[in-house]
Amino acid sequence: MAIIETEAALHEAHRDNHTHRDVNGGWLRPAVFGAMDGLVSNLALMTGVAGGSVSQQTVVLSGLAGLAAGAFSMAAGEYTSVASQRELVEAELDVERRELRRHPKDEEAELAALYEARGVEPRLAREVARQLSKDPEQALENHAREELGIDPGDLPSPTVAAVSSFGSFALGALLPVLPYLLGASSLWPAVLLALLGLFLCGAVVAKVTARTWWYSGLRQLALGGAAAGVTYALGSLFGTAVG
């Protein structure tokens, strides 16, 4: 009796602790991509301009222009991309909805066949498909998940994606500009702050994706540093050639 109670308690504890991250939300990808892109692109832009031996005012103006242009561009691109994807999904759902209305038996048989293909005993697969097909909306949801691999009730929001992308890009792009706005007179404080931001962003992303924090942080640091170094060299080359 004690063994049974112990096993039941362990099962209950496992069930309570077995949780998953939200992998379908429309905010994570644009937020992460926006912050990284803002940091890398604006840092590269500013180092490239600074490499041309221009004035401090020109570097700051370039950074602010890059922040504004990049944030609006990212937001518009994310909104258009997610909206187009959502419209495509909704069009496919309309097709499936019409088929369920016109040929309910054929769709029920198709659902049963899908379950059979996954190893369910044929008789049980037909019974499960019959019960799941009683409610039209429930049937649509099941067909969408099985055939299209989507959840009709959890489609990404274009607005959420656009706002997340705009805010995260602007925040990332602000870091290289911030030292200048606070009184810095050289490029190095901006570079160091931006590289620190890249490392921290990588480490935070690792917490979300369960990767090693130091590896993810160093990877972003290396990529951002390489981009800044290359653009600075190109800016110096072009500045010398133009001058």
Side-chain angles (χ1 to χ4, degrees), residues 62-166:
S62 299
L64 292 175
L67 185 157
F72 282 109
S73 176
M74 286 286 293
E78 279 295 333
Y79 186 91
T80 302
S81 175
V82 175
S84 299
Q85 179 186 7
R86 187 180 180 114
E87 289 164 2
L88 175 60
V89 170
E90 289 173 345
E92 291 300 312
L93 289 175
D94 287 339
V95 171
E96 195 64 37
R97 191 177 287 110
R98 286 196 301 270
E99 289 300 310
L100 284 167
R101 186 172 59 251
R102 295 173 180 174
H103 310 289
K105 291 298 181 182
D106 291 341
E107 291 297 309
E108 181 181 320
E110 183 179 355
L111 189 61
L114 287 171
Y115 291 141
E116 287 185 43
R118 295 187 178 185
V120 180
E121 193 270 331
R123 182 176 178 181
L124 178 58
R126 289 193 297 270
E127 178 61 20
V128 170
R130 185 187 67 80
Q131 293 190 28
L132 293 178
S133 300
K134 289 180 179 179
D135 180 10
E137 287 303 315
Q138 182 67 37
L140 175 64
E141 183 175 326
N142 286 309
H143 279 273
R145 286 176 174 172
E146 297 297 333
E147 296 180 34
L148 303 176
I150 59 173
D151 183 352
D154 192 26
L155 299 181
S157 167
T159 302
V160 170
V163 171
S164 299
S165 181
F166 181 93

Side-chain angles (χ1 to χ4, degrees), residues 210-222:
R211 293 185 63 90
T212 306
W213 65 270
W214 57 266
Y215 171 80
S216 183
L218 288 176
R219 180 177 61 182
Q220 296 303 327
L221 177 65

Side-chain angles (χ1 to χ4, degrees), residues 43-45 47-49 51 222-238:
L43 174 62
L45 172 64
T47 53
V49 172
L223 292 173
V230 169
T231 54
Y232 183 86
L234 291 175
S236 298
L237 178 63
F238 294 153

